[in-house]
Amino acid sequence: MFHKVKSVTALPEYRLTIQFSEGVTKVYEVGQLFEKYKMFSPLKEDRSLFYNVTVDQGGYGIVWNDDIDISCDELWANGKTIETPFDGLMAFSDATFLWNLNESTLRKAISYGKLVNGVDVCKFGKQWIVSVDAMKREYGEPVNT
């Protein structure tokens, strides 16, 4: 199962918060890898390197440099799920990928009242956000997971 990483933030004590496209946020303990895998030791030796973590192109994981990375599957499986005010929310682009829909389908669902603005969806600037629950209610379980 593929869990696309949307964002990563480095925290003190060698922890990361990872936000996934499914609207789930997890905390991952990188410190546990220092003894297990030597490739992660530069992160412990150079704290500024640790804080320079980014999302891999395509959301397939996170990277620090060409030698140090962690896959999205590892982050999903071994990260601890935490609750945030943004849980269960996703961008239209993520919803269209996960449900294999066109973005115009979701816009039409709003105009027809299937997805209610202010309840199921909300627009922030140019970006539409939709709840996972509303997507499951209207379109069933995601097909691209």
Side-chain angles (χ1 to χ4, degrees), residues 20-112:
F20 292 89
S21 62
E22 296 93 337
V24 174
T25 304
K26 295 192 177 212
V27 172
Y28 186 85
E29 304 283 344
V30 177
Q32 66 180 335
L33 304 175
F34 295 153
E35 297 298 318
K36 225 175 178 181
Y37 304 104
K38 292 193 187 302
M39 67 183 264
F40 290 98
S41 61
L43 300 178
K44 187 175 182 180
E45 296 163 6
D46 182 0
R47 196 176 270 297
S48 64
L49 176 61
F50 175 74
Y51 280 95
N52 283 325
V53 63
T54 60
V55 176
D56 188 24
Q57 188 172 5
Y60 297 105
I62 58 171
V63 298
W64 285 273
N65 58 32
D66 290 340
D67 299 320
I68 308 170
D69 60 22
I70 303 175
S71 75
C72 56
D73 292 334
E74 166 65 17
L75 297 167
W76 181 269
N78 294 308
K80 179 183 175 193
T81 302
I82 61 170
E83 290 186 27
T84 74
F86 306 102
D87 291 347
L89 301 176
M90 65 176 61
F92 266 24
S93 58
D94 294 327
T96 57
F97 171 77
L98 290 170
W99 274 268
N100 199 26
L101 299 170
N102 191 303
E103 198 164 315
S104 66
T105 303
L106 298 182
R107 293 180 196 278
K108 287 178 185 175
I110 295 168
S111 67
Y112 298 149

